[in-house]
Amino acid sequence: MSDPKRVYNFNPGPAALPLEVLQQAQAEMLDFKGTGMSVMEISHRSKEFEGVIQTAEADLRELLGIPANYKVMFLQGGASLQFAMLPMNLRASGSSADYVVTGTWSKTAFKEAQKLGTTRAAANTEADGFKILPAKLDLDPKAAYLHFTSNETIHGVEFVNEPTPLAGVPLVCDASSDFISRPVDISKYALIYAGAQKNAGPAGVVVVIARDDMLERTPANLPVMLDYKALAASGSLHNTPPCWSIYITGLVFKWAKGLGGLEAVAKRNRAKADLVYKAIDESGGFYRGHAAPEARSVMNIPFRLPSEELEETFAKEAKSNDLIGLKGHRSVGGMRASLYNALDVKAAESLTQFMREFQKKHG
Amino acid sequence: MSDPKRVYNFNPGPAALPLEVLQQAQAEMLDFKGTGMSVMEISHRSKEFEGVIQTAEADLRELLGIPANYKVMFLQGGASLQFAMLPMNLRASGSSADYVVTGTWSKTAFKEAQKLGTTRAAANTEADGFKILPAKLDLDPKAAYLHFTSNETIHGVEFVNEPTPLAGVPLVCDASSDFISRPVDISKYALIYAGAQKNAGPAGVVVVIARDDMLERTPANLPVMLDYKALAASGSLHNTPPCWSIYITGLVFKWAKGLGGLEAVAKRNRAKADLVYKAIDESGGFYRGHAAPEARSVMNIPFRLPSEELEETFAKEAKSNDLIGLKGHRSVGGMRASLYNALDVKAAESLTQFMREFQKKHG
């Protein structure tokens, strides 16, 4: 078999997966661990699949240092379904929830929560073009929870430190696009959720990490597939889970441990982002980053060129250099480099070399 | 590479997939159609993934003869989330829905619907041990819809013809375990849903086929991930869909077309089921089928042996003959042979040969 073609994949999600993970999935496709079946063909209640999901959870617990009083769930519907499940479960009838709005995704979470009850914006940076982190928060001491989005995939704005809630207010985080990209102190959080398809695996599974007391808020008679308490109690096996996506996500967790854990992962991610921000900052204004310097994301770097025409050319020439997925989201325009865990430093080096050559040619 | 081991897989779901589908997925794992990326690594809005989902839908439309006034959705959460989405969307405030209860799954759907509003059992065969189809239905002429489960995976009871609703009452079906196992006249249905992980693909995606007028019932302000109208309007791409599961499901649809379409698939399925029922009926009572003869499922055949001890031995000896997944559900006990599309006739032949030898040895 000739070597398959592989490219540098800067897609914002679904995104690059580690080559080793794909190779293992490929090798095990027809016969998973001597079963004579694919991992897609075995029962979710078999001891082989129990091994898959329990190992995935154990590796994630080790990576993130998740305390024993937190449950880990592997669910379906993406972060988008969490936008609804969260208020359904955590906001008891009549109480209000606080949302920090710093980009498209936190705004969407806010709007979904509004459909289901009282919701306040503790901050909203939209008037500033979603380029900054809020200078201060207007917090409700009685809020059911305080929600924030640790990294905004579209606007490239990332919290370095999580916001501090008022005493007694649980902190809730959508970590979809910087999940397991760096160490996090889980004990500061009441609940974290993350769609896997950025740093942690393929689409089709969302990881929810919930402190035990949060599960006591679930009201009676929620449909079971929307009920954190029931889903946690079943070990994510109330119904057939997204077995393949959990399997691949587990392989990614194992791979991240092999890199040396989240300190090593974070160092590698920092190195990649530094290269790209340096190329932007040294371009004399040819490349302009979207986010304010103090809010810059390590994961997603949206940037503009002097004209839309040049941006089109950039995307086209990048593609012919096997640099893929660099077109920005239409709401911000321009380019976006997503530098998730699976990309190694060579990818960022190739991109910045291309950026410099492109500027020389067209600048 | 030596040939990987493969077994006869009678699992009830997740279940056997066609070998050709697994081989194609394996071959394309590192480079999907010259992209230099896995299908898990490309954008769900890329032209390559558009090709995946649009081809899957077109092939399904062709297989089932889906009329133009029906939408096809590929969603997450399995049939279990549909148990809730269905009444949320189709049962306007105050109206009641009718359910035909013929086994564990229709009973579960009924219970979930009860949580969300007024729900009637149009029939319930539980007192008869879920072995039969209802002789008659007690129908509400004002019902929001009439729901039935075309095949009960656990009890092995399958409708040959769908129940006839009263004029103006939409017919809704959970077809999870006999989906695309035979031709169906879609125009009789208002909505059909099916988890893929039996006949149509891996876990992680549920197919929903809804007549256009059903989408007009969705109330305002449903969370978008629970809103049929919004999900259909987005072409299943409101958020990141379960890309891998849709991809494999599309390959299975293509494979079923290659077998000759659903007439050919049904004939093959009938041949397999006939073999196993014949082995049961000719055993002189050594093997006893759970379902009444007129209600027998072509897909799932639960049966008992003279003692639990013999059932244990049967499962063990079958496994050592590479006949896998034959242990029955604990609620029925005994054995269960699931004979979904991907199994060829040889699997049923091997099983019935084993059944005869086992009886000779232990009978």
Side-chain angles (χ1 to χ4, degrees), chain A residues 204-281:
Chain A
V205 62
V206 53
V207 182
V208 179
I209 304 166
R211 206 171 61 207
D212 286 342
D213 59 321
M214 292 298 105
L215 303 175
E216 298 310 316
R217 294 187 176 202
T218 298
N221 272 328
L222 261 193
V224 64
M225 292 301 291
L226 303 174
D227 176 328
Y228 282 148
K229 191 176 183 174
L231 293 166
S234 72
S236 308
L237 295 173
H238 168 74
N239 71 336
T240 316
C243 300
W244 175 267
S245 296
I246 294 172
Y247 159 68
I248 297 289
T249 300
L251 294 182
V252 172
F253 293 158
K254 191 72 82 187
W255 169 86
K257 278 176 62 183
L259 278 190
L262 296 192
E263 292 285 359
V265 167
K267 199 175 155 192
R268 187 170 116 129
N269 285 334
R270 184 77 259 170
K272 290 180 288 179
D274 282 349
L275 283 170
V276 178
Y277 284 120
K278 189 160 178 274
I280 290 172
D281 292 342

Side-chain angles (χ1 to χ4, degrees), chain B residues 256-310:
Chain B
K257 277 177 62 183
L259 277 191
L262 296 193
E263 292 285 358
V265 166
K267 197 175 156 190
R268 188 170 116 129
N269 285 334
R270 184 77 259 170
K272 290 180 287 179
D274 283 348
L275 283 170
V276 178
Y277 284 121
K278 188 159 179 272
I280 290 172
D281 291 342
E282 293 181 352
S283 75
F286 184 78
Y287 298 114
R288 287 167 294 121
H290 175 80
E294 65 279 8
R296 280 174 166 179
S297 167
V298 176
M299 295 282 102
N300 310 98
I301 306 182
F303 59 95
R304 304 297 308 255
L305 271 71
S307 71
E308 285 187 19
E309 205 185 333
L310 271 176

Side-chain angles (χ1 to χ4, degrees), chain A residues 84-108:
Chain A
M85 286 176 67
L86 192 59
M88 282 178 175
N89 282 273
L90 261 56
R91 186 174 58 188
S93 158
S95 70
S96 171
D98 272 1
Y99 279 69
V100 183
V101 180
T102 53
T104 299
W105 290 107
S106 47
K107 186 180 167 183
T108 307

Side-chain angles (χ1 to χ4, degrees), chain B residues 21-197:
Chain B
V21 166
L22 295 173
Q23 286 169 331
Q24 182 171 344
Q26 186 179 43
E28 295 180 336
M29 180 66 82
L30 302 186
D31 179 12
F32 177 68
K33 298 199 183 303
T35 58
M37 298 174 276
S38 154
V39 72
M40 292 181 280
E41 299 175 285
I42 64 176
S43 170
H44 55 298
R45 305 201 189 278
S46 64
K47 71 175 192 311
E48 291 84 5
F49 190 75
E50 258 178 28
V52 169
I53 195 167
Q54 288 172 2
T55 304
E57 178 175 338
D59 286 338
L60 180 62
R61 284 185 177 274
E62 188 181 329
L63 278 171
L64 275 171
I66 301 174
N69 62 325
Y70 287 70
K71 295 283 184 294
V72 174
M73 293 173 262
F74 296 97
L75 305 180
Q76 296 188 62
S80 295
L81 186 55
Q82 294 306 308
F83 295 165
M85 285 175 68
L86 192 57
M88 283 178 176
N89 283 270
L90 260 58
R91 186 173 56 189
S93 158
S95 69
S96 171
D98 271 2
Y99 280 68
V100 184
V101 180
T102 53
T104 298
W105 290 108
S106 46
K107 185 179 169 184
T108 307
F110 175 72
K111 281 185 172 175
E112 286 291 285
Q114 276 186 311
K115 286 182 183 172
L116 295 157
T118 314
T119 313
R120 285 175 73 254
N124 190 332
T125 63
E126 187 163 17
D128 300 296
F130 288 142
K131 294 178 177 182
I132 59 170
L133 292 171
K136 64 185 285 292
L137 303 178
D138 168 27
L139 295 172
D140 174 2
K142 293 187 175 165
Y145 56 85
L146 171 65
H147 179 280
F148 78 111
T149 302
S150 52
N151 182 66
E152 285 284 353
T153 322
I154 291 174
H155 293 90
V157 167
E158 187 175 18
F159 283 85
V160 181
N161 299 303
E162 45 285 283
T164 306
L166 296 178
V169 175
L171 185 65
V172 171
C173 177
D174 175 2
S176 293
S177 56
D178 63 359
F179 190 58
I180 65 164
S181 72
R182 57 178 181 176
V184 163
D185 181 355
I186 299 290
S187 70
K188 291 183 178 170
Y189 296 79
L191 190 146
I192 300 184
Y193 61 97
Q197 71 275 8

Side-chain angles (χ1 to χ4, degrees), chain B residues 212-235:
Chain B
D212 287 343
D213 60 319
M214 291 299 105
L215 304 175
E216 297 310 316
R217 294 186 175 202
T218 300
N221 272 328
L222 262 194
V224 64
M225 292 301 291
L226 303 174
D227 176 329
Y228 282 148
K229 190 177 184 173
L231 293 167
S234 71

